[in-house]
Amino acid sequence: RLAKRGLSDSLSVEAHAISSLLWWARLLPLTLPRFRLGLQSLGWTYPAAPGVREERIELLDKGVRGIYLHTAPQGEEDPPVLLFYYPGAFFGGSVEDNRGFIKRYTDRLKCDAFLADYSLCPEHPIEQAFRDGCRAYEWLLSRKAPEKIVVAGSSSGAGLGLRVLQLAAAPEDERRNFFSGSGPVPQPAGAALLGPFINYTVGPGVDEGNSLVTHQAFDNLVTERVYE
């Protein structure tokens, strides 16, 4: 009988099997290179689809980096776009390894996608990731009306997306520390935030009821040990 180790009964048998196999990896010392290498598996599982027109965005003076995927049906004028922030606990992940994954969504939604790159820890403070996320949204607003944009993200990327929307609605004195413009920043048409990682201040005596603490027995990826 497959041990479910506290995972939801609604998950498939395959999900429980993967979880049980991954659990043993926790016994190995977790270094930053090993953590980042593991995140590259998403690119192997969902490789980039051939024939997709990719637009590399490198606007270093504006703090904008990423890949724009032209995945909307041909002939459609001014298609909507999914602004996607990739997962990786703010320590890993890349836009390259998420191209095939996000195309599974754009095929169903019949839209384009902009995979925004952002600075990672520990080389950069987390505030720089927030600034990069804001600049990516700001740049996309220069190409698309806000009602054509949906912000999406997974895990830390979802937390980043949420922070971008909060800063867009923040008072000007706070907002201008992250956005380059001085005017108001509109909200997008919507947001799809998958398991947003938003609380980074947990530990002994600090928010011990947080899921990062209570679920560490069966969380295979993001645990207190990762951040230690």
Side-chain angles (χ1 to χ4, degrees):
R1 179 178 172 80
L2 183 66
K4 296 186 177 181
R5 299 190 303 99
L7 297 180
S8 171
D9 290 342
S10 64
L11 294 177
S12 66
V13 173
E14 292 81 4
H16 288 292
I18 292 173
S19 178
S20 296
L21 289 172
L22 285 175
W23 187 89
W24 296 101
R26 292 161 52 103
L27 303 179
L28 299 174
L30 185 61
T31 63
L32 184 61
R34 182 172 292 152
F35 180 76
R36 289 178 172 174
L37 179 63
L39 289 169
Q40 291 179 12
S41 63
L42 186 63
W44 309 330
T45 306
Y46 301 108
V52 175
R53 185 162 71 92
E54 298 183 357
E55 184 180 352
R56 297 275 173 164
I57 307 300
E58 294 285 345
L59 304 174
L60 301 183
D61 58 324
K62 297 183 178 180
V64 181
R65 309 182 311 276
I67 300 177
Y68 194 101
L69 301 180
H70 294 268
T71 48
Q74 291 186 356
E76 183 173 348
E77 296 184 5
D78 193 24
V81 59
L82 200 65
L83 172 56
F84 182 73
Y85 299 107
Y86 57 82
F90 291 107
F91 280 88
S94 71
V95 291
E96 287 80 6
D97 291 328
N98 281 267
R99 290 173 295 168
F101 172 73
I102 206 62
K103 188 177 182 297
R104 294 163 59 90
Y105 291 90
T106 59
D107 285 346
R108 291 177 176 270
L109 298 172
K110 302 187 185 304
C111 66
D112 289 342
F114 178 47
L115 283 71
D117 204 354
Y118 56 91
S119 302
L120 298 175
C121 301
E123 293 88 350
H124 305 275
I126 198 168
E127 288 79 9
Q128 186 58 48
F130 296 157
R131 185 171 294 108
D132 292 342
C134 289
R135 298 295 176 86
Y137 179 49
E138 189 174 31
W139 172 81
L140 193 57
L141 284 170
S142 70
R143 294 178 53 141
K144 292 286 182 180
E147 59 267 20
K148 288 283 187 176
I149 300 173
V150 170
V151 172
S154 175
S155 189
S156 57
L160 175 55
L162 178 60
R163 186 61 179 145
V164 168
L165 300 183
Q166 289 176 329
L167 290 167
E172 183 177 352
D173 59 342
E174 180 182 6
R175 188 176 66 241
R176 65 188 177 189
N177 291 325
F178 295 90
F179 290 90
S180 61
S182 58
V185 180
Q187 294 289 309
L193 307 177
L194 310 178
F197 186 15
I198 56 177
N199 188 343
Y200 326 115
T201 56
V202 299
V206 181
D207 195 11
E208 293 187 347
N210 186 277
S211 62
L212 191 67
V213 178
T214 59
H215 292 176
Q216 60 182 313
F218 48 84
D219 190 329
N220 302 304
L221 298 177
V222 182
T223 65
E224 287 184 277
R225 188 163 68 96
V226 169
Y227 280 82
E228 291 170 356

